[in-house]
Amino acid sequence: MKKLILTVLSFFTALFTVNAQKVINYSHTYAAGGKLLMCVDSAAENIYYDNMFPNQPSTYFNYLPEISNVSIQIYFRKTDNVQLYRYSILVDDKPIAVNKPIDQAQLRNVDRPDETFRSATLGAFPITGKTITTLVYSIEKPLDIDKSVFYGKPIPKAKIKVISKRYAIDKGVDYSYIVDPKQNTAIVFTEKDDELTIVKDRSDIDYVYVISIKDKQTNKTVFESASWQYGGYVDEHKLSPYVKMNKNIFKKSGDYEISIQPLIKWNTSATKDIDKYTSRYTLSITLDQENYSKKELLTYTLIVFFSIGLASFIILYFSKKRNKKKLVENEQQKNTAKLQLSLIRSQLNPHFLFNALSGIQNLMNKNDIDNANKYLSKFARLTRNVLDDTELISLSQEKNLLDDYLQMEQLRFGFKYEINQSGDLDLDNTDIPSMLLQPFVENAVKHGISQKASEGKIVIEFIKQASNLLLNIIDNGNGFDTKNKNDGLGLLLTERRITLLNSVYKENHFTLAIQSNSNGTKISLTLTDWL
């Protein structure tokens, strides 16, 4: 009976071989794992051969999705003892050859560039829609079995059956389960949770699949494994494959993508088809407590310090740029104001000279030759001082200029005058803008006391008030209405000059105050923080 069964099996093997040999290209061989090589259809394109897996070190997987027939050959080195080898062949888990020895009569020499081998054909088989498995071993080491799988069916797309979360309880641990999870699944990890388990649906080629988890925010893979375990999870009375992972792989809350796909050495041209074999799920992870590695903490710290430094640099840069621009603008304004001051001063000088010459003419018309000569002498010295283009002069120089001017006008009108100063005021080392008081003094003479003759009086005061300098011009003339602006050119120019001085000397302030009634006029000019 046993011989009859072996005879029938040999018949079917021979029949399969005869049909397959009609279309197989024997001039091109592919490594099929271990000592096996294979030949396939002449028109075959996508052949994924000799795939190995870390969790199955002696298993070789040949994926032949577009192949109709395959010829399986075994090769031996000259040093191999062929008599010791046995092989078995299964088609869809049904044995067609069991522990068969190698038919040495079929052995033929095959020359390779570096070595000569001996080869025998184990058989040629139709592969479409089938799984052919070969087992090869030596009777000296019966446990060292090389397993080659020839897979002619579409690789099934994996499906996650269960996601479980382990958490601590008083008496150990317990699990919570999500059965048949959706494509998007939310999971919350608390302090008590420590482990996540993912269970895949069972197949006859579980070892082919690799699972990976990627942080969708950083696109970084945080977990990868092809080591499927069995036990604890049963589906249709069979143990299901699963992988475990520590919850600490999830450093931050957010979306993570689970991918399960065959660990196949795909051809470049077939990479576009990988997605049809790949299952993808999204886990929306929420962590009660975020976890950061030392590297991440260091990175975040450096980013914070760099950001602060960069922000400080930018603020400092633009602040300096703004201040520089402001300084340039202020300098431009100051230079503009100085030019305008020079212009006003150049307008005051002719005005003063015209009035002085009018005084000389008046004395000469009166035939007062002596006083006219005295007037002219003082006018010559005064002219030199007035025409000196100096921005600042000392109070001592200002006093001398006013003395000369008042003595000149005294020859015409016969009034009295006084120039007083504070005892602690250093006239020689205190500077003021040149010709600052002359227009006011001239106005006091011309419009104040010119008609009073010897009864007229002008008092000029230089007073120190803390850090302020107070300059007063007082006359006992008839006064005027301060609401009606005097249209004298000298006063108008002086008021404009004071406005410009305030724009140049911004840390100080020039304040003009005018008090006038029928008993006389008092003009006060205060230079704030001048001393």
Side-chain angles (χ1 to χ4, degrees):
M1 185 66 181
K2 188 174 182 180
K3 289 183 179 180
L4 179 62
I5 293 174
L6 290 174
T7 301
V8 172
L9 290 175
S10 297
F11 171 77
F12 279 111
T13 300
L15 182 63
F16 287 147
T17 300
V18 170
N19 291 330
Q21 284 176 339
K22 295 179 181 179
V23 290
I24 293 175
N25 178 12
Y26 287 97
S27 64
H28 191 175
T29 58
Y30 299 88
K35 293 182 176 298
L36 300 184
L37 296 177
M38 64 177 176
C39 298
V40 298
D41 302 345
S42 300
E45 292 185 359
N46 294 320
I47 305 168
Y48 310 106
Y49 57 91
D50 198 25
N51 292 280
M52 299 180 65
F53 309 97
N55 57 330
Q56 299 285 329
S58 298
T59 298
Y60 307 90
F61 187 80
N62 304 283
Y63 182 39
L64 311 173
E66 301 172 4
I67 306 303
S68 298
N69 302 283
V70 59
S71 173
I72 303 172
Q73 302 162 18
I74 189 166
Y75 279 66
F76 296 96
R77 284 189 165 89
K78 291 287 187 180
T79 56
D80 292 331
N81 188 346
V82 178
Q83 296 179 355
L84 299 177
Y85 284 88
R86 302 289 184 270
Y87 70 93
S88 299
I89 300 177
L90 297 89
V91 177
D92 292 335
D93 293 334
K94 296 179 180 179
I96 61 172
V98 179
N99 294 328
K100 289 190 65 175
I102 305 300
D103 186 354
Q104 296 189 51
Q106 291 188 20
L107 287 174
R108 58 186 177 86
N109 289 333
V110 178
D111 292 326
R112 299 294 184 189
D114 53 348
E115 190 175 354
T116 298
F117 292 86
R118 291 175 294 168
S119 169
T121 299
L122 301 185
F125 309 91
I127 188 66
T128 303
K130 299 179 181 297
T131 301
I132 297 175
T133 305
T134 64
L135 306 173
V136 178
Y137 66 94
S138 169
I139 58 176
E140 289 185 331
K141 297 180 179 179
L143 297 180
D144 292 344
I145 301 174
D146 286 336
K147 177 181 177 181
S148 294
V149 177
F150 303 84
Y151 203 80
K153 300 182 288 186
I155 296 178
K157 200 171 184 178
K159 180 181 179 183
I160 294 179
K161 300 293 289 183
V162 177
I163 298 177
S164 70
K165 184 176 63 172
R166 191 176 77 175
Y167 56 90
I169 58 176
D170 293 339
K171 296 182 179 180
V173 295
D174 203 349
Y175 294 84
S176 61
Y177 299 91
I178 301 174
V179 180
D180 293 326
K182 298 179 180 179
Q183 291 298 118
N184 290 278
T185 302
I187 294 179
V188 177
F189 281 113
T190 65
E191 188 177 350
K192 292 184 178 181
D193 301 322
D194 66 344
E195 189 177 85
L196 190 72
T197 300
I198 296 176
V199 182
K200 187 185 77 67
D201 58 338
R202 185 183 178 92
S203 73
D204 56 345
I205 52 171
D206 290 331
Y207 55 88
V208 170
Y209 295 94
V210 60
I211 181 171
S212 62
I213 299 178
K214 180 177 67 177
D215 186 338
K216 296 182 76 171
Q217 183 176 359
T218 62
N219 208 34
K220 179 181 177 182
T221 299
V222 298
F223 177 83
E224 186 173 69
S225 177
S227 300
W228 298 93
Q229 303 178 56
Y230 295 85
Y233 300 94
V234 178
D235 184 22
E236 296 181 356
H237 307 291
K238 292 183 178 180
L239 297 176
S240 296
Y242 67 88
V243 291
K244 291 182 178 181
M245 63 210 70
N246 193 290
K247 79 162 187 181
N248 289 331
I249 66 169
F250 305 105
K251 303 297 182 183
K252 296 178 288 293
S253 298
D255 288 343
Y256 292 79
E257 183 182 75
I258 301 175
S259 298
I260 305 177
Q261 66 182 45
L263 192 61
I264 301 293
K265 294 182 289 186
W266 302 102
N267 296 338
T268 304
S269 60
T271 52
K272 62 183 180 180
D273 297 326
I274 294 176
D275 272 350
K276 72 181 181 182
Y277 301 104
T278 304
S279 301
R280 303 184 193 278
Y281 295 80
T282 298
L283 290 182
S284 295
I285 300 295
T286 301
L287 301 177
D288 276 0
Q289 184 176 2
E290 303 283 351
N291 297 314
Y292 297 96
S293 65
K294 289 182 180 180
K295 183 178 180 181
E296 287 177 319
L297 288 173
L298 179 60
T299 301
Y300 294 148
T301 302
L302 290 175
I303 289 173
V304 169
F305 278 110
F306 175 77
S307 300
I308 293 173
L310 181 62
S312 300
F313 173 78
I314 292 173
I315 292 171
L316 183 63
Y317 171 77
F318 283 104
S319 178
K320 282 186 174 181
K321 190 174 181 180
R322 185 172 60 252
N323 290 338
K324 186 177 180 180
K325 184 179 179 182
K326 191 173 181 181
L327 285 173
V328 171
E329 290 176 350
N330 288 342
E331 189 66 25
Q332 289 176 342
Q333 291 176 355
K334 191 173 182 179
N335 290 336
T336 302
K338 285 182 178 180
L339 288 173
Q340 292 175 331
L341 281 171
S342 297
L343 179 61
I344 289 173
R345 192 165 181 272
S346 67
Q347 291 175 295
L348 280 171
N349 292 343
H351 173 74
F352 163 74
L353 294 174
F354 175 79
N355 288 340
L357 289 173
S358 296
I360 296 173
Q361 184 183 28
N362 182 264
L363 288 172
M364 292 180 68
N365 288 337
K366 291 180 180 180
N367 204 26
D368 191 351
I369 303 302
D370 289 339
N371 283 337
N373 286 329
K374 291 178 182 179
Y375 195 105
L376 189 60
S377 176
K378 292 186 179 294
F379 172 72
R381 187 174 69 172
L382 187 60
T383 301
R384 286 194 297 269
N385 292 329
V386 169
L387 294 179
D388 184 13
D389 190 21
T390 303
E391 183 180 349
L392 296 175
I393 62 173
S394 68
L395 275 177
S396 177
Q397 290 173 303
E398 182 76 4
K399 180 184 176 184
N400 291 336
L401 188 149
L402 294 175
D403 254 330
D404 286 341
Y405 173 72
L406 287 171
Q407 288 175 18
M408 279 172 43
E409 298 291 31
Q410 202 174 34
L411 293 173
R412 292 174 59 194
F413 301 113
F415 59 86
K416 304 179 188 69
Y417 76 90
E418 296 176 8
I419 300 179
N420 303 320
Q421 67 185 70
S422 299
D424 56 350
L425 184 60
D426 186 356
L427 298 186
D428 291 327
N429 294 310
T430 303
D431 294 338
I432 63 170
S434 62
M435 288 192 70
L436 182 61
L437 298 181
Q438 194 278 333
F440 296 112
V441 174
E442 182 180 339
N443 196 67
V445 172
K446 185 178 178 181
H447 300 288
I449 51 83
S450 60
Q451 302 300 322
K452 288 200 169 188
S454 61
E455 294 182 2
K457 185 177 183 180
I458 294 176
V459 178
I460 299 173
E461 298 175 335
F462 302 153
I463 301 172
K464 179 180 180 181
Q465 290 184 340
S467 61
N468 300 336
L469 176 62
L470 178 61
L471 306 174
N472 293 328
I473 300 101
I474 306 166
D475 69 71
N476 62 348
N478 296 324
F480 62 93
D481 186 358
T482 57
K483 293 181 181 178
N484 296 324
K485 293 288 184 181
N486 191 293
D487 59 354
L489 179 61
L491 282 180
L492 290 175
L493 291 173
T494 301
E495 287 181 354
R496 285 177 56 195
R497 189 182 183 200
I498 289 174
T499 301
L500 290 171
L501 286 170
N502 280 324
S503 68
V504 173
Y505 300 98
K506 292 185 177 181
E507 66 275 11
N508 310 110
H509 193 69
F510 290 70
T511 304
L512 176 64
I514 302 176
Q515 301 174 19
S516 185
N517 53 42
S518 58
N519 296 322
T521 300
K522 180 179 181 181
I523 294 177
S524 298
L525 185 60
T526 304
L527 282 63
T528 306
D529 294 328
W530 193 263
L531 301 177

